[in-house]
Coordinates of all heavy atoms in Angstrom, one line a residue:
H1 N 43.6 92.3 90.4 CA 42.5 93.2 90.2 C 41.8 93.6 91.5 O 40.7 94.2 91.5 CB 41.4 92.4 89.3 CG 42.0 92.1 88.0 ND1 42.3 92.9 87.0 CD2 42.4 90.8 87.5 CE1 42.8 92.3 85.9 NE2 42.9 91.0 86.2
S2 N 42.4 93.3 92.6 CA 41.7 93.6 93.9 C 42.7 93.7 95.0 O 43.8 93.1 94.9 CB 40.6 92.6 94.3 OG 41.2 91.4 94.6
F3 N 42.4 94.3 96.1 CA 43.1 94.2 97.3 C 42.2 94.5 98.5 O 41.1 95.0 98.3 CB 44.3 95.1 97.4 CG 44.1 96.5 97.0 CD1 43.5 97.4 97.9 CD2 44.6 97.0 95.8 CE1 43.3 98.8 97.6 CE2 44.4 98.4 95.5 CZ 43.8 99.2 96.3
H4 N 42.6 94.1 99.7 CA 41.8 94.1 100.9 C 42.3 95.4 101.7 O 43.5 95.5 101.8 CB 42.0 92.9 101.6 CG 41.2 92.7 102.8 ND1 41.6 92.9 104.1 CD2 39.9 92.4 103.0 CE1 40.6 92.8 105.0 NE2 39.6 92.4 104.4
V5 N 41.5 96.2 102.2 CA 41.9 97.4 103.0 C 41.2 97.3 104.3 O 40.0 96.9 104.4 CB 41.3 98.7 102.3 CG1 41.8 99.9 103.1 CG2 41.7 98.8 100.8
S6 N 42.0 97.4 105.4 CA 41.5 97.4 106.7 C 42.1 98.6 107.5 O 43.1 99.1 107.1 CB 41.7 96.1 107.4 OG 43.1 95.8 107.5
W7 N 41.4 99.0 108.6 CA 41.9 100.2 109.3 C 41.5 100.0 110.8 O 40.7 99.2 111.2 CB 41.3 101.4 108.8 CG 39.7 101.4 108.7 CD1 38.8 101.7 109.6 CD2 39.0 100.9 107.5 NE1 37.6 101.5 109.1 CE2 37.7 101.0 107.8 CE3 39.4 100.5 106.2 CZ2 36.6 100.6 107.0 CZ3 38.4 100.1 105.4 CH2 37.0 100.2 105.7
A8 N 42.2 100.8 111.6 CA 41.9 100.8 113.0 C 42.2 102.2 113.5 O 42.9 102.9 112.9 CB 43.0 99.8 113.7
P9 N 41.7 102.6 114.7 CA 40.7 101.8 115.4 C 39.3 102.0 114.9 O 39.1 102.9 114.1 CB 40.8 102.4 116.8 CG 41.1 103.9 116.5 CD 42.0 103.8 115.3
V10 N 38.4 101.1 115.4 CA 37.0 101.4 115.0 C 36.3 102.1 116.2 O 36.5 101.6 117.4 CB 36.3 100.0 114.8 CG1 34.8 100.2 114.6 CG2 36.9 99.3 113.6
L11 N 35.7 103.2 115.9 CA 35.2 104.0 117.0 C 33.7 104.1 117.0 O 33.1 104.2 115.9 CB 35.8 105.4 116.9 CG 37.3 105.5 117.0 CD1 37.8 106.8 116.4 CD2 37.8 105.2 118.3
D12 N 33.0 104.2 118.2 CA 31.6 104.3 118.2 C 31.1 105.6 117.6 O 29.9 105.7 117.2 CB 31.1 104.2 119.6 CG 31.3 102.9 120.3 OD1 31.4 101.9 119.5 OD2 31.3 102.8 121.5
S13 N 32.0 106.6 117.6 CA 31.5 107.9 117.2 C 31.5 108.1 115.7 O 31.1 109.1 115.2 CB 32.4 109.0 117.8 OG 33.7 108.7 117.6
V14 N 31.9 107.0 115.0 CA 32.0 107.1 113.5 C 30.6 106.6 112.9 O 30.2 105.5 113.2 CB 33.2 106.3 112.9 CG1 33.1 106.2 111.4 CG2 34.5 106.8 113.4
A15 N 30.1 107.4 112.0 CA 28.8 107.0 111.3 C 29.2 106.1 110.1 O 28.6 105.0 110.0 CB 28.1 108.2 110.9
T16 N 30.1 106.5 109.3 CA 30.5 105.7 108.1 C 32.0 106.0 107.8 O 32.5 107.0 108.3 CB 29.7 106.1 106.8 OG1 29.9 107.5 106.6 CG2 28.3 105.7 106.9
Y17 N 32.6 105.0 107.1 CA 33.9 105.3 106.6 C 33.8 105.4 105.1 O 32.9 104.7 104.5 CB 34.9 104.1 106.9 CG 35.2 103.9 108.4 CD1 34.4 103.1 109.2 CD2 36.2 104.7 108.9 CE1 34.8 102.9 110.5 CE2 36.5 104.6 110.3 CZ 35.8 103.7 111.1 OH 36.1 103.6 112.4
Q18 N 34.5 106.3 104.5 CA 34.6 106.3 103.1 C 36.0 105.9 102.6 O 37.0 106.4 103.2 CB 34.4 107.8 102.6 CG 33.0 108.2 102.7 CD 32.8 109.7 102.3 OE1 33.7 110.4 102.1 NE2 31.5 110.1 102.1
V19 N 36.0 105.0 101.7 CA 37.3 104.5 101.1 C 37.4 105.1 99.7 O 36.6 104.7 98.9 CB 37.4 103.0 101.1 CG1 38.7 102.5 100.6 CG2 37.2 102.4 102.6
L20 N 38.4 106.0 99.5 CA 38.6 106.6 98.2 C 39.8 105.9 97.6 O 40.8 105.7 98.3 CB 38.9 108.1 98.3 CG 37.7 109.0 98.6 CD1 37.2 108.9 100.0 CD2 38.0 110.4 98.3
Y21 N 39.7 105.5 96.4 CA 40.9 104.9 95.8 C 41.0 105.3 94.3 O 40.0 105.6 93.6 CB 40.9 103.4 95.9 CG 39.7 102.8 95.3 CD1 39.8 102.2 94.0 CD2 38.5 102.7 95.9 CE1 38.7 101.6 93.4 CE2 37.4 102.1 95.3 CZ 37.5 101.6 94.0 OH 36.4 101.0 93.5
G22 N 42.2 105.5 93.8 CA 42.5 105.8 92.4 C 43.9 105.6 92.1 O 44.8 105.6 92.9
P23 N 44.2 105.3 90.8 CA 45.5 105.0 90.4 C 46.5 106.2 90.5 O 46.0 107.3 90.3 CB 45.4 104.5 88.9 CG 44.1 105.1 88.5 CD 43.3 105.2 89.7
L24 N 47.7 106.0 90.8 CA 48.8 107.0 90.8 C 49.6 106.9 89.5 O 50.0 105.7 89.2 CB 49.6 106.9 92.0 CG 49.0 107.3 93.3 CD1 50.0 106.9 94.5 CD2 48.8 108.8 93.4
P25 N 50.0 107.9 88.8 CA 49.5 109.2 89.0 C 48.1 109.2 88.3 O 47.8 108.3 87.5 CB 50.5 110.1 88.2 CG 51.0 109.2 87.1 CD 51.0 107.8 87.7
G26 N 47.3 110.2 88.6 CA 46.0 110.3 88.0 C 45.0 110.9 88.9 O 45.3 111.1 90.1
N27 N 43.8 111.2 88.5 CA 42.8 111.8 89.4 C 41.5 111.2 89.2 O 40.5 111.8 89.5 CB 42.8 113.3 89.1 CG 42.6 113.7 87.7 OD1 42.3 112.8 86.9 ND2 42.8 114.9 87.3
S28 N 41.4 110.0 88.7 CA 40.1 109.3 88.7 C 40.0 108.6 90.0 O 40.7 107.6 90.3 CB 40.1 108.3 87.5 OG 41.0 107.3 87.7
V29 N 39.1 109.1 90.8 CA 38.9 108.5 92.2 C 37.6 107.9 92.3 O 36.6 108.5 91.9 CB 39.1 109.6 93.3 CG1 38.8 109.1 94.6 CG2 40.5 110.1 93.2
K30 N 37.5 106.7 92.9 CA 36.2 106.0 93.2 C 36.1 106.0 94.7 O 37.0 106.0 95.4 CB 36.2 104.6 92.6 CG 36.3 104.6 91.1 CD 35.8 103.2 90.6 CE 35.6 103.2 89.1 NZ 36.8 102.6 88.4
V31 N 34.8 105.9 95.1 CA 34.5 105.9 96.6 C 33.7 104.8 97.0 O 32.7 104.4 96.3 CB 33.7 107.2 97.0 CG1 33.4 107.2 98.5 CG2 34.4 108.5 96.5
L32 N 34.1 104.1 98.0 CA 33.2 103.0 98.6 C 32.7 103.5 100.0 O 33.6 104.1 100.8 CB 34.1 101.8 98.9 CG 34.4 100.9 97.7 CD1 35.5 99.9 98.2 CD2 33.2 100.2 97.1
Q33 N 31.5 103.4 100.3 CA 31.0 103.7 101.6 C 31.0 102.5 102.5 O 30.5 101.4 102.0 CB 29.5 104.2 101.5 CG 29.4 105.5 100.8 CD 29.5 106.7 101.7 OE1 29.9 106.6 102.9 NE2 29.2 107.9 101.2
V34 N 31.5 102.5 103.6 CA 31.5 101.3 104.5 C 30.8 101.7 105.9 O 31.1 102.8 106.4 CB 33.0 100.9 104.8 CG1 33.0 99.7 105.7 CG2 33.7 100.6 103.5
D35 N 30.0 100.9 106.4 CA 29.3 101.1 107.6 C 30.3 101.3 108.7 O 31.3 100.7 108.8 CB 28.4 99.9 107.9 CG 27.6 100.1 109.1 OD1 28.1 100.0 110.3 OD2 26.4 100.5 109.0
G36 N 30.0 102.3 109.7 CA 30.9 102.6 110.7 C 31.2 101.4 111.7 O 32.2 101.5 112.4
R37 N 30.5 100.3 111.6 CA 30.7 99.2 112.5 C 31.8 98.3 111.9 O 32.3 97.4 112.6 CB 29.5 98.4 112.7 CG 28.4 99.1 113.5 CD 27.3 98.1 113.9 NE 26.6 97.6 112.7 CZ 25.6 98.1 112.1 NH1 25.0 99.2 112.7 NH2 25.0 97.6 111.0
H38 N 32.1 98.5 110.6 CA 33.1 97.6 110.0 C 34.5 98.2 109.9 O 34.6 99.5 109.8 CB 32.6 97.2 108.6 CG 31.3 96.5 108.6 ND1 31.2 95.3 109.1 CD2 30.1 96.9 108.2 CE1 29.9 94.9 109.0 NE2 29.2 95.9 108.4
N39 N 35.5 97.5 109.7 CA 36.8 98.0 109.7 C 37.7 97.5 108.5 O 38.8 97.6 108.5 CB 37.6 97.8 111.0 CG 38.1 96.4 111.1 OD1 37.4 95.5 110.7 ND2 39.2 96.2 111.7
S40 N 36.9 96.9 107.5 CA 37.7 96.5 106.3 C 36.7 96.4 105.1 O 35.5 96.4 105.3 CB 38.3 95.1 106.6 OG 37.3 94.2 106.7
T41 N 37.3 96.4 103.9 CA 36.5 96.2 102.7 C 37.5 95.7 101.6 O 38.7 95.7 101.8 CB 35.9 97.5 102.3 OG1 35.0 97.3 101.2 CG2 36.9 98.6 101.8
V42 N 36.9 95.1 100.6 CA 37.7 94.7 99.4 C 37.4 95.7 98.3 O 36.3 96.0 98.0 CB 37.3 93.3 99.0 CG1 38.1 92.8 97.8 CG2 37.6 92.3 100.2
V43 N 38.5 96.1 97.7 CA 38.4 97.0 96.6 C 38.7 96.1 95.3 O 39.7 95.4 95.3 CB 39.5 98.1 96.6 CG1 39.4 99.0 95.4 CG2 39.3 98.9 97.9
E44 N 37.8 96.2 94.4 CA 37.8 95.3 93.2 C 37.9 96.1 91.9 O 37.8 97.3 91.9 CB 36.6 94.4 93.2 CG 36.6 93.5 94.5 CD 35.3 92.7 94.5 OE1 34.2 93.3 94.5 OE2 35.4 91.4 94.7
H45 N 38.0 95.3 90.8 CA 37.9 95.8 89.4 C 39.1 96.8 89.2 O 38.8 97.9 88.6 CB 36.6 96.5 89.1 CG 35.4 95.7 89.5 ND1 35.1 94.4 89.0 CD2 34.4 95.9 90.5 CE1 34.0 93.9 89.6 NE2 33.6 94.8 90.5

């Protein structure tokens, strides 16, 4: 029911990261906002 997403590099010029996710195939997409200082998040449910 979850997975961990991380990314690189983390840049000072980024205000926020948006993590969009949705099942394939399909077009129901959800969005998580992540502060620009962070480089990972957990997607749940």
Side-chain angles (χ1 to χ4, degrees):
H1 303 288
S2 68
F3 50 75
H4 185 259
V5 184
S6 58
W7 52 87
V10 174
L11 301 163
D12 291 340
S13 50
V14 174
T16 56
Y17 292 96
Q18 287 178 346
V19 179
L20 286 73
Y21 60 98
L24 287 171
N27 51 11
S28 62
V29 174
K30 295 196 169 98
V31 182
L32 285 171
Q33 293 272 9
V34 181
D35 185 281
R37 292 188 299 267
H38 299 295
N39 74 327
S40 65
T41 188
V42 176
V43 181
E44 298 175 305
H45 313 300

